[in-house]
Amino acid sequence: MTPHKPARRILVAALAASALLGAATVPAVASPSAGGRHAFGYVGEGARLDYQKGVAVSVLKGVFERGDTAVVDRFVRTDYIQHNPLAADGSGPLKNLGVAMHQQFPQAKYDVKRVISEGDLVLVHSNVVLTPGSRGSAVFDIFRFRGGKIAEHWDTGQNVPDTSANGNDMFSTVSRPQTGQPGSRWLTAHNKKLVTKAFDQLIVDKDLSALDKYWGSEYHQHNPNIADGVAGARQGLGGYFQAFPELAVSRKRVVAEGDLVAVHSHYVNAPGERGQAVVDLFRVRNGKIVEHWDVLQDVPATSANDNTMF
């Protein structure tokens, strides 16, 4: 049986989105499957998630590498909701930002390292380098989709430092298999539940015993201020909790795919502070957390929109 017209349109759009990026940056779009007919007619859920990934990366690279306004018209809703404090709501300001950035930084690269999608959300982890030869920034972008287009966006960005306490950069995959692609989607629900429990116990409740329960003996750290391994996490976080005994962490959203689980949170070190927007990304292998990347950004005093960073 052949897909009906709406399903074919979704699949064609998915293929077009991937074609804009090149195979190196985005997972292949899934083919329609008889077992996944509930998503878009006969187009499976996996194809829809891959479509969202392709669109998200296509927009990021199109806007910030080429100043392409057409990609915004094609894939971003006009009533686009923006949470980046430097940008206003709407697709128009996004197009203006892309044109201005491309004029100022014509050799900018949005080097996408990993992409995951769950439900209507996509998370993209990237090294954004505005000037060739510089270390650039570590950036997490989160997009929400509605009606097949991007409807909302959150992000966090942090300059990549000169040195690291653990010897790992902020982007590579150290645990095996050494790939930036997420694992099998049938693991998503289990790993999301595990990481949510681990995060709440360790970070929200500040209970270091969570490291013994949920973390693997082989644990690789990419936060440049914390040493490698479980011992490094225990020392680094223990010192952090002691320095800020009134730390309050509010978990805002969790996005997972396969063995990768991201937690977007608001960290407030002391009452009355604006705090930081933080994305923590965890990798789970064989029921244990084995790797961690993060990006931390101070919440500014003012914003170009009224939406907060959360």
Side-chain angles (χ1 to χ4, degrees), residues 76-138:
V76 180
R77 293 175 59 94
T78 57
D79 58 352
Y80 172 69
I81 300 170
Q82 177 66 266
H83 294 268
N84 182 311
L86 301 178
D89 281 336
S91 60
L94 178 61
K95 291 192 286 187
N96 294 338
L97 176 62
V99 170
M101 290 287 290
H102 184 61
Q103 290 176 345
Q104 186 173 359
F105 303 103
Q107 294 180 283
K109 292 297 179 185
Y110 223 101
D111 184 6
V112 174
K113 301 299 184 180
R114 46 189 62 82
V115 191
I116 62 175
S117 184
E118 182 193 16
D120 60 357
L121 296 175
V122 174
L123 178 132
V124 186
H125 183 204
S126 308
N127 181 197
V128 180
V129 179
L130 299 180
T131 305
S134 65
R135 288 178 299 276
S137 302

Side-chain angles (χ1 to χ4, degrees), residues 295-310:
V295 169
L296 303 83
Q297 180 179 337
D298 290 337
V299 175
T302 60
S303 175
N305 58 68
D306 297 324
N307 304 319
T308 81
M309 293 187 72
F310 307 100

